Amino acid sequence: MTHVDMWTDGACKGNPGIGGWGTLMRSGGKERELFGGEKETTNNRMELTAVIEGLAALKRPCHITLHVDSQYVMNGVQSWMKGWKRNGWKTRDKKPVKNQELWMALDEQVARHQIEWVWVKGHAGDPGNERADALANMGVDEARGS
């Protein structure tokens, strides 16, 4: 199984506002960068989108070391999602899960791969995270039309 190091990040100018997402992938000495944006979104949606797009870009199942700076994404996958699925994508309070369509898409992508989740502190000098952040901001610029 191919090993991929992946860093993801989301950005939003205003929350909600113009947002972007970025993903950096490295494997076998090669590097790939992805980014995109939306005119009206939230930071959490962009954090989720960065992971979904990165995982979806892989053509076959991989072993991934996935570096994220989003506690929302990490907690969602590792702690909350199992209960949400068991409860029909409802929270403990019986309310619909926010960003449900993205969580469902992420669940589908996570099932394809073997993932080691690594939390990194954002804006703390991790080179992969810094590049993912720069890509996310490129996505903001693209959505802004600049």
Side-chain angles (χ1 to χ4, degrees):
M1 194 174 270
T2 303
H3 182 263
V4 177
D5 283 300
M6 186 181 295
W7 290 263
T8 65
D9 201 12
C12 210
K13 306 305 178 194
N15 200 19
I18 297 172
W21 59 268
T23 303
L24 169 65
M25 295 182 276
R26 291 186 182 139
S27 181
K30 295 182 182 175
E31 192 169 276
R32 184 172 179 196
E33 298 180 337
L34 305 169
F35 67 91
E38 295 180 18
K39 289 198 178 294
E40 186 69 18
T41 190
T42 65
N43 190 70
N44 283 343
R45 289 184 68 81
M46 293 295 90
E47 293 283 358
L48 285 163
T49 300
V51 178
I52 294 163
E53 293 291 338
L55 296 176
L58 299 170
K59 302 291 183 222
R60 61 186 173 280
C62 296
H63 176 263
I64 302 161
T65 303
L66 182 51
H67 305 82
V68 297
D69 66 2
S70 170
Q71 291 285 342
Y72 175 68
V73 171
M74 192 125 166
N75 286 333
V77 170
Q78 294 186 322
S79 300
W80 308 328
M81 197 163 23
K82 192 176 196 177
W84 292 339
K85 287 166 50 175
R86 186 176 51 245
N87 295 330
W89 292 98
K90 301 245 189 292
T91 65
R92 267 188 246 166
D93 309 358
K94 306 293 183 225
K95 294 180 181 162
V97 171
K98 288 182 182 173
N99 304 313
Q100 177 181 334
E101 76 285 3
L102 293 175
W103 284 111
M104 291 173 81
L106 180 56
D107 185 40
E108 187 177 311
Q109 290 303 321
V110 166
R112 295 179 51 227
H113 304 284
Q114 291 180 357
I115 302 173
E116 175 189 353
W117 293 84
V118 178
W119 184 79
V120 295
K121 184 173 173 145
H123 310 287
D126 179 285
N129 178 257
E130 295 294 335
R131 184 60 189 156
D133 178 66
L135 291 165
N137 281 291
M138 289 169 62
V140 169
D141 292 341
E142 181 179 84
R144 188 181 280 141
S146 48

